[in-house]
Amino acid sequence: MEAPTYIASTAYERPAIHDYSYGTKSVSILELMNASAAWAIVLKHLPFMPMFVQSEDIKPALGNMSLEDLAVFTTMLKPMLPALDKELATLPRVPGKGA
Amino acid sequence: MTLVDRIDLNRRDVLIATGASSLLMAGGVAEAAPAPRIGRGQSFDLGWRFHRGAGHGFEAPGFNDGAWRAVDLPHDWSIEDLPAGEGRGGKVVGPFAEKAEGGTAVGFAVGGEGWYRKRFRLSAPRGGRVELLFDGVYMDSDVWLNGHPLGSNASGYTPFAYDLTPHLSPSGENVIVVRVRNEGRNSRWYSGSGIYRHVWLDVLPQTARIERWGVVVNTRRIANGEAELDIATALQDAGQGDIVVSRIKDAAGKTVWQAQVPVAHAAEQSASLNAPNLWSPDTPNLYTLETELRRGGRVLDRTETVFGVRIVTFDATTGMTINGTPTKLRGGCIHHDNGLLGACAFDAAEERKVALLKARGYNAVRPSHNLFSPAFFRACDKIGLFVVGETFDTWHHPKKPQDYSTVFAKRWRQDLDTIIRSTRNHPSVVMWSIGNEIPDRNTEEGMALQWQIVNAVHRIDPTRPVTAAINGFPGHSVTPSAVTARAGKGGKADDMSSVFLDLVGYNYKLADYGADHARFPDRVFFGTESFAKDVVAIWDLTDRSPWLIGDFVWTAMDYLGEASIGGSTLVPKANANMPVMPTTWPWVNADCGDIDLIGQQKAPSLARDVVWGISPLEIAVQQPMADDKTELLKAWGWSNEAQSWTWPGSEGKQLAVRAHSSGDKVELHLNGKLINSKAVEAKRVEFSVPYAPGTLEAVAFRGGKEIGRRTLTTVGKPAAIRVTAEKPRGGAGRGDVSFLLVEVVDAQGRRVPGAKLPLTASLSGPADMVGFGGANPQAIGSYQASTAESWDGRAQLVVRGRGSRGTVGVEVKAAGLASGRVALPLT
């Protein structure tokens, strides 16, 4: 039995980023906030979001959480997501980088 | 024999003052600080003076610190009762302040500034080296020796050392001064404040030495009854003629391998052990590598490196193995505080914490989210827990305004290097986590940083995989090039958060496990954090999925801070669909642990006992509530259940009795009469039982055969206090603490669940009381006074030796009850 080794790689090249669509699982809340068309749809369905995203405890996590992730902690959110997803899906896909 | 004794002394070359330290503190310190001698790792914990608050000129050698308080280390001022006037206009309860700047995050504890001074007698050894090592100081520290600034440290968890040699006084009279600042909102949990871990002094006869954390031992191969080890020794200022002697001893002290090489060959050695005793959590066998640096027959330096022989592998098809045997990480996350002792990292407290987890079936721990004390890691080696060694809670973007992110860019490489080098020989550590729920990790900047940190780890320690705890959104799909990717992953799609990780940690993402395994069939992953309430579902999937190597519940043990994220709350039934939020002051404790703040098992742990096969059956009863109320669980919560059938005032009321069982059927009997028999689903079954005092008995069956039986009996009124020492003997040293359990019992000696009674403790003999309190998650009083309140019929009392052997008498009283007494020998 040989011990495995984990060897450092030698050079950094930014990985190719694939294109993606807007949705409650496919982007972070921060990305939704930064896309005005997407955020307008979110606010239409979830008008309480501005108050939520101002929370000091939540702010650092906005880039790490999708709306679906948020629903793990706020169960009332879950039923609202399908309609939101349907509308977000009408937005153009975001092109990738180097893919 | 200590390291100090074993170094070959040439005392003519050194001028070490003899006799006791010139500073024998009055009050609270009975053991004199010993005078330093030649050698490594001399305790420097005793004989400090402390001032809580800021000031000017405190670093001056001639400053009169006579009015300062005497303290011995480890010391945490945030767990001490707040001085008058520190409440910022809010309520103050013991060490907690309603208006504490850190708020719920730190459990309403108060930081601020504190100063430590210690006088000691030591002259510079001619041609030698004197160095002072701090295991951990929270948070920002500045150190002076005889008025000369030695340096500053900004990480509250990493060890750091200073060379004292140039500034030691020719007279031999020295004063070391440490300023510590724990200011602003810098932590998401209770951190403690001050020099809360040990301090060590190295006095070496020459500048030549074995580099600090410079010895590393790795198991390369285990085959044919033999283990092959790689040993590397880094030296400083060694001469060409110097030699390195390496010697491996087994647990019995028998030398099983040794070699002597010129320093030029010390960087890489190989060793073979016949019939090695392998390390694993089930067989935590340890060896000690003694390393000596010799010059002309003299030992200039000597270290001992405890290690284990083991090979750990990870693979999506075969899972995790230890020495070829499949295993799972039955894990729990914990923070570093020791309950009533605050952050004070007494060795016995660290070992007790590890032992408590082991006793509850854990074989793995995730010390969150920072480096824990050396004693903690030693305990994991010795008792047998796998460890996820975690490095950072933030990178370059903050979670709190004054947290580690403010210094990350400047410090991360150095701190990472220190964390790994100081910890890499522990066999318990099986992987490194480079971060927990790191903000902005999903950006291009974050991805580049992930690559840098992963590769920095691999350059220091290529024997362990790297992971991170990923919560929520893992980022967009990316494809790395072959030159950038980890081995074999070039051209393969991954997520931004995990693209360079060897293993992927998931926080609260059980719902994604199946889909992610389908997307990434060769990904090895595990739950780095999970909710206790998911224990059955998690382990059902984990046990049958090799790619899912384990899970770490948040948390294995209650901790101070993140107040009230666990537990439950009662609301009017009409509000049953409202979101439940954590409560705030006076809650100071997270209340989400399997084990409470004083080490007692809580209801979620009963379910885990069944899931992990420790017990075939466990039952608990939900606390009765008003008819118009319903119970809502907090995110990290669990129903307010207790192993109790003593609910006075609830006679005739329907109570929820919940059983966890590995069987297929559970019968419930009350006072000998069958109440109901139900099939077990997902290891759980619930009964509704009209409360009547007496005996409630559950019997579990599998395939018609009884596999377990549990009984709860109504107990009588409180009649007495019982005090029990957790161990028959305690340590007498100033660094030793001993734990005692205080219970409120009825006339038959049965603990009275739910009993909340004022208690008064007194001590006689050579010890101080350093902790006294219950597990109440709310701030109700001091943790250091002689009065406390029981919680659920229990309290804890902690005594600290004074440095002399003897018997400590402990008496605990409660009004109207027979007192409890115990005599604890300290040796």
Side-chain angles (χ1 to χ4, degrees):
Chain A
M1 182 183 1
E2 300 277 341
T5 54
Y6 303 86
I7 306 300
S9 57
T10 52
Y12 183 72
E13 295 170 351
R14 193 204 66 218
I17 303 172
H18 302 179
D19 65 339
Y20 56 90
S21 58
Y22 286 105
T24 61
K25 186 177 172 64
S26 58
V27 295
S28 68
I29 296 171
L30 189 63
E31 287 172 312
L32 289 171
M33 292 170 66
N34 290 338
S36 55
W39 193 236
I41 294 171
V42 171
L43 294 183
K44 190 173 84 176
H45 290 262
L46 310 174
F48 55 85
M49 283 302 288
M51 184 181 70
F52 177 80
V53 299
Q54 290 302 315
S55 160
E56 188 186 294
D57 290 334
I58 296 298
K59 272 184 183 175
L62 292 174
N64 283 355
M65 294 186 83
S66 66
L67 285 171
E68 187 174 277
D69 297 321
L70 184 61
V72 172
F73 299 91
T74 312
T75 50
M76 59 184 287
L77 202 58
K78 191 88 177 172
M80 305 176 184
L81 299 185
L84 184 50
D85 259 330
K86 193 173 178 183
E87 199 163 346
L88 287 171
T90 65
L91 297 176
R93 288 178 70 82
V94 179
K97 288 185 179 178
Chain B
M1 186 169 284
T2 67
L3 290 182
V4 175
D5 297 323
R6 288 291 301 273
I7 290 185
D8 188 11
L9 308 182
N10 184 341
R11 292 182 185 271
R12 288 171 299 180
D13 288 347
V14 296
L15 298 168
I16 304 298
T18 56
S21 165
S22 59
L23 243 203
L24 293 180
M25 301 300 183
V29 180
E31 188 176 10
R37 297 176 290 162
I38 288 280
R40 270 183 181 256
Q42 302 176 64
S43 175
F44 209 65
D45 285 348
L46 303 183
W48 293 77
R49 285 191 179 271
F50 172 70
H51 169 78
R52 185 170 184 171
H56 296 289
F58 292 167
E59 72 276 20
F63 175 78
N64 182 0
D65 56 20
W68 288 17
R69 185 155 53 96
V71 297
D72 295 324
L73 308 179
H75 174 248
D76 169 13
W77 79 68
S78 285
I79 205 66
E80 297 176 341
D81 292 352
L82 279 166
E86 289 289 323
R88 296 172 176 237
K91 293 177 184 171
V92 170
V93 179
F96 307 112
E98 182 182 17
K99 303 287 187 186
E101 190 173 11
T104 54
V106 298
F108 297 95
V110 176
E113 180 168 333
W115 288 74
Y116 297 82
R117 291 171 59 92
K118 171 171 167 143
R119 297 180 193 279
F120 62 102
R121 298 184 67 201
L122 175 66
S123 294
R126 202 161 44 231
R129 183 199 296 262
V130 178
E131 194 168 278
L132 196 62
L133 170 69
F134 293 81
D135 278 350
V137 178
Y138 201 89
M139 168 172 145
D140 296 315
S141 63
D142 308 283
V143 182
W144 294 263
L145 175 64
N146 300 326
H148 299 280
L150 298 179
S152 301
N153 191 60
S155 167
Y157 301 108
T158 51
F160 55 95
Y162 295 120
D163 184 2
L164 305 188
T165 323
H167 304 299
L168 285 167
S169 166
S171 71
E173 301 290 341
N174 302 283
V175 58
I176 191 98
V177 182
V178 183
R179 175 175 63 184
V180 186
R181 288 171 294 172
N182 174 9
E183 294 177 332
R185 287 177 294 153
N186 61 59
S187 182
R188 298 191 304 116
W189 54 86
Y190 178 88
S191 61
S193 303
I195 311 177
Y196 68 102
R197 292 179 182 162
H198 297 305
V199 179
W200 306 97
L201 185 71
D202 290 354
V203 182
L204 300 180
Q206 299 286 325
T207 58
R209 69 168 178 174
I210 301 161
E211 194 175 280
R212 185 173 299 287
W213 307 309
V215 176
V216 59
V217 194
N218 289 313
T219 308
R220 182 183 353 112
R221 180 183 297 116
I222 301 172
N224 304 318
E226 188 174 272
E228 295 178 21
L229 311 177
D230 293 328
I231 301 172
T233 308
L235 305 166
Q236 284 180 305
D237 298 338
Q240 284 300 313
D242 296 347
I243 60 169
V244 170
V245 177
S246 304
R247 188 181 303 114
I248 295 175
K249 291 186 172 178
D250 65 15
K254 179 186 171 191
T255 298
V256 293
W257 175 87
Q258 60 182 341
Q260 179 173 308
V261 296
V263 293
H265 297 148
E268 291 183 12
Q269 294 186 77
S270 292
S272 294
L273 300 183
N274 284 318
N277 294 312
L278 305 182
W279 186 94
S280 75
D282 293 336
T283 59
N285 298 304
L286 296 171
Y287 290 86
T288 301
L289 169 63
E290 297 177 355
T291 306
E292 292 176 351
L293 174 62
R294 292 186 179 183
R295 179 174 297 168
R298 290 179 58 201
V299 177
L300 301 183
D301 194 8
R302 180 177 180 279
T303 64
E304 289 186 353
T305 305
V306 177
F307 69 98
V309 178
R310 93 288 188 273
I311 287 179
V312 183
T313 64
F314 302 91
D315 181 272
T317 304
T318 55
M320 175 181 174
T321 67
I322 173 85
N323 307 322
T325 302
T327 188
K328 297 283 185 183
L329 296 166
R330 295 196 308 272
C333 302
I334 56 172
H335 275 310
H336 69 290
D337 71 80
N338 279 311
L340 309 184
L341 299 174
C344 289
F346 291 100
D347 292 10
E350 301 286 74
E351 184 164 324
R352 175 180 184 267
K353 191 158 51 181
V354 172
L356 286 170
L357 266 63
K358 184 82 174 186
R360 292 272 54 84
Y362 290 94
N363 73 353
V365 63
R366 176 175 172 238
S368 311
H369 305 286
N370 44 264
L371 185 66
F372 276 29
S373 75
F376 178 84
F377 284 94
R378 287 196 300 271
C380 291
D381 293 345
K382 174 183 158 188
I383 294 172
L385 288 185
F386 292 121
V387 178
V388 176
E390 191 145 86
T391 53
F392 304 120
D393 190 51
T394 63
W395 291 350
H396 48 341
H397 290 282
K399 292 179 178 175
K400 294 290 179 186
Q402 286 81 36
D403 67 17
Y404 185 76
S405 67
T406 60
V407 296
F408 177 82
K410 190 171 63 178
R411 291 195 58 97
W412 76 263
R413 289 182 186 279
Q414 177 191 333
D415 286 339
L416 187 77
D417 188 85
T418 300
I419 290 168
I420 294 175
R421 286 186 194 281
S422 65
T423 317
R424 59 187 168 175
N425 286 307
H426 292 284
S428 54
V429 178
V430 292
M431 66 181 79
W432 300 109
S433 164
I434 59 170
N436 171 65
E437 300 186 352
I438 298 296
D440 295 291
R441 61 173 193 241
N442 297 328
T443 62
E444 291 182 34
E445 180 191 19
M447 195 163 50
L449 196 46
Q450 180 196 145
W451 183 87
Q452 290 181 56
I453 301 173
V454 167
N455 285 289
V457 173
H458 285 335
R459 278 190 288 274
I460 305 166
D461 180 7
T463 72
R464 292 178 174 91
V466 173
T467 189
I470 310 294
N471 65 324
F473 180 57
H476 300 296
S477 180
V478 294
T479 301
S481 65
V483 70
T484 299
R486 63 193 196 277
K489 300 298 180 185
K492 294 186 177 178
D494 207 309
D495 294 325
M496 294 175 90
S497 290
S498 54
V499 60
F500 302 119
L501 303 179
D502 303 302
L503 313 172
V504 184
Y506 284 59
N507 284 12
Y508 312 109
K509 296 176 69 172
L510 172 62
D512 291 347
Y513 286 4
D516 276 15
H517 172 59
R519 285 175 67 206
F520 309 110
D522 59 350
R523 173 183 285 186
V524 177
F525 60 98
F526 64 110
T528 22
E529 289 181 24
S530 67
F531 298 117
K533 58 195 172 199
D534 291 333
V535 60
V536 174
I538 286 170
W539 282 96
D540 177 58
L541 182 62
T542 305
D543 282 338
R544 56 186 164 86
S545 308
W547 43 272
L548 187 56
I549 59 169
D551 181 76
F552 291 76
V553 67
W554 190 270
T555 54
M557 192 164 180
D558 278 348
Y559 56 98
L560 299 171
E562 290 197 308
S564 184
I565 64 168
S568 65
T569 188
L570 300 181
V571 299
K573 284 182 174 171
N575 295 344
N577 293 322
M578 295 295 286
V580 57
M581 302 299 288
T583 37
T584 181
W585 175 266
W587 267 261
V588 296
N589 168 334
D591 197 20
C592 59
D594 267 20
I595 301 168
D596 72 17
L597 202 65
I598 64 171
Q600 302 300 317
Q601 188 176 18
K602 293 169 65 183
S605 176
L606 301 174
R608 190 171 301 277
D609 281 357
V610 170
V611 171
W612 283 348
I614 294 171
S615 167
L617 172 68
E618 294 295 338
I619 57 171
V621 180
Q622 184 181 350
Q623 178 109 18
M625 57 187 163
D627 292 340
D628 61 343
K629 293 287 178 66
T630 190
E631 182 186 45
L632 297 182
L633 303 189
K634 295 174 187 172
W636 285 265
W638 191 273
S639 180
N640 188 7
E641 298 170 349
Q643 281 183 303
S644 170
W645 196 243
T646 304
W647 305 104
S650 294
E651 287 76 7
K653 192 178 178 68
Q654 292 291 133
L655 299 189
V657 178
R658 300 187 182 115
H660 281 87
S661 176
S662 52
D664 51 33
K665 185 180 78 169
V666 172
E667 286 182 355
L668 195 66
H669 305 258
L670 178 59
N671 295 327
K673 181 182 173 187
L674 178 66
I675 294 289
N676 206 341
S677 173
K678 287 190 172 183
V680 176
E681 294 182 8
K683 290 191 165 56
R684 192 169 185 272
V685 60
E686 178 171 334
F687 300 88
S688 181
V689 184
Y691 176 68
T695 298
L696 182 74
E697 186 171 52
V699 187
F701 300 87
R702 187 188 302 128
K705 184 181 176 186
E706 180 180 328
I707 61 167
R709 187 176 287 252
R710 288 289 179 273
T711 301
L712 300 176
T713 302
T714 305
V715 303
K717 292 180 179 177
I721 300 296
R722 180 169 60 214
V723 184
T724 312
E726 289 189 355
K727 293 184 176 179
R729 292 178 181 277
R734 191 66 185 147
D736 292 318
V737 287
S738 302
F739 295 85
L740 299 99
L741 177 64
V742 178
E743 295 171 287
V744 179
V745 298
D746 70 0
Q748 295 182 50
R750 300 172 299 188
R751 179 177 63 89
V752 181
K756 286 176 67 179
L757 294 177
L759 307 169
T760 302
S762 58
L763 249 67
S764 62
D768 298 317
M769 188 168 60
V770 292
F772 187 32
N776 192 332
Q778 296 188 38
I780 58 163
S782 170
Y783 286 163
Q784 299 185 331
S786 59
T787 55
E789 185 179 83
S790 63
W791 173 255
D792 198 23
R794 297 186 183 103
Q796 181 185 62
L797 195 150
V798 191
V799 299
R800 179 179 191 176
R802 287 182 180 163
S804 55
R805 295 179 181 184
T807 297
V808 176
V810 177
E811 180 175 18
V812 180
K813 297 180 179 178
L817 308 186
S819 299
R821 296 184 185 85
V822 71
L824 175 66
L826 300 184
T827 57

